[in-house]
């Protein structure tokens, strides 16, 4: 498929997410209908750990620059694993005081290691399997609602570790030639994923809700 670039005066070819609608420029947030399959799937996913939530808006994020970077990382990981496509997971990310649209509209990295804080598994970019866990870190809007990002993460080969705040990268695999792709662990009942490089996660949906 082809998409107009950010200037709107040239066309680039790239593989894009099959859910993308046609659009001009590098970014658009497409509002979903509550009756759509996408909305219902996200609502169900959130209900697993947040049964009392009420979603007011879901926007599908279509950002060609971030998707191209994500696709590049997927191709790189596939080559490093001898042709096997990396596993991917749907995970939540709360942005606290940073408005999530800053990540969604970004032209370079989206989720940035440069802005990461040190956590239980070191200084990395954190995602959670459970919406209820990420809700603790959700962005608070002026009207009392909250917003979180539902991302697609290239988790690849995971290394489950006990908390270690000194981590700055994934550990090496047996043999010492290749690293694991993602560190995982469990905290407050949720599986968490930690990556230590940019481009590994795509901000697929921006979800606004009351909890």
């Amino acid at each position: 498929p082809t998409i107009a670039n950010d200037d709107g005066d040239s066309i680039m070819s790239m593989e894009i997410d099959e859910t993308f609608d046609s659009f001009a420029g590098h970014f658009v947030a497409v509002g979903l209908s509550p009756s759509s399959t996408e909305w219902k799937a996200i609502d169900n996913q959130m209900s697993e750990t947040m049964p009392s939530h009420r979603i007011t808006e879901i926007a599908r994020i279509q950002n060609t620059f971030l998707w191209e970077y994500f696709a590049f990382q997927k191709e790189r990981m596939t080559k490093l694993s001898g042709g096997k496509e990396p596993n991917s997971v749907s995970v939540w990310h709360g942005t606290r005081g940073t408005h999530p649209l800053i990540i969604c509209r970004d032209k370079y990295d989206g989720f940035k290691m440069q802005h990461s804080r040190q956590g239980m598994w070191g200084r990395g970019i954190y995602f959670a399997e459970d919406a209820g866990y990420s809700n603790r870190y959700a962005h608070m809007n002026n009207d009392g609602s909250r917003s979180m990002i539902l991302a697609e993460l290239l988790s690849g080969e995971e290394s489950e570790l006990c908390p270690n705040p000194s981590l700055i990268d994934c550990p090496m695999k047996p043999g010492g030639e290749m690293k694991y792709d993602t560190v995982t662990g469990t905290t407050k009942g949720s599986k968490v994923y930690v990556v230590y490089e940019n481009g590994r996660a795509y901000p697929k949906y921006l979800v606004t809700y009351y909890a």
Side-chain angles (χ1 to χ4, degrees):
T2 56
I3 302 176
N5 73 0
D6 193 39
D7 298 324
D9 58 4
S10 63
I11 297 293
M12 64 180 179
S13 296
M14 59 179 284
E15 292 299 320
I16 62 170
D17 189 302
E18 61 183 9
T19 64
F20 278 16
D21 295 330
S22 297
F23 66 104
H26 91 278
F27 170 86
V28 65
V30 179
L32 301 183
S33 166
S35 63
S36 68
T37 301
E38 287 174 279
W39 180 296
K40 292 177 181 177
I42 294 167
D43 192 32
N44 289 338
Q45 187 173 346
M46 185 173 263
S47 294
E48 292 176 2
T49 53
M50 294 181 62
S52 62
H53 79 283
R54 178 172 63 87
I55 295 176
T56 59
E57 183 180 2
I58 301 177
R60 183 199 309 128
I61 303 304
Q62 300 183 181
N63 184 321
T64 56
F65 289 132
L66 295 188
W67 184 258
E68 187 175 37
Y69 190 15
F70 180 76
F72 164 78
Q73 287 282 44
K74 184 176 182 178
E75 181 180 5
R76 181 186 67 85
M77 292 172 70
T78 299
K79 289 180 179 178
L80 286 172
S81 62
K84 180 184 176 182
E85 284 196 0
N87 294 328
S88 65
V89 289
S90 180
V91 286
W92 299 92
H93 181 84
T95 61
R96 291 182 171 172
T98 301
H99 198 290
L101 274 176
I102 294 176
I103 293 173
C104 296
R105 294 183 65 96
D106 189 47
K107 296 182 179 181
Y108 300 97
D109 300 297
F111 299 102
K112 293 184 178 182
M113 268 294 299
Q114 299 92 313
H115 295 168
S116 297
R117 302 176 182 178
Q118 187 176 32
M120 293 175 65
W121 286 269
R123 186 168 177 263
I125 308 173
Y126 285 68
F127 301 89
E129 183 175 75
D130 295 349
Y133 178 83
S134 291
N135 178 55
R136 296 174 172 86
Y137 306 97
H139 178 74
M140 300 297 296
N141 300 308
N142 292 333
D143 62 358
S145 65
R146 305 181 183 200
S147 294
M148 287 195 299
I149 294 173
L150 183 59
E152 182 178 353
L153 171 69
L154 297 171
S155 57
E157 292 191 65
E158 304 169 8
S159 176
E160 184 176 3
L161 299 177
C162 294
N164 181 354
S166 68
L167 286 173
I168 57 173
D169 205 350
C170 292
M172 301 297 292
K173 298 179 186 177
E177 294 184 0
M178 300 286 290
K179 295 184 298 183
Y180 286 97
D181 301 305
T182 303
V183 165
T184 64
T186 302
T187 178
K188 299 187 184 301
S190 176
K191 181 177 181 178
V192 295
Y193 299 77
V194 189
V195 294
Y196 304 90
E197 59 181 335
N198 297 343
R200 290 275 303 285
Y202 179 79
K204 201 164 188 178
Y205 298 100
L206 176 56
V207 183
T208 301
Y209 62 98
Y210 287 92

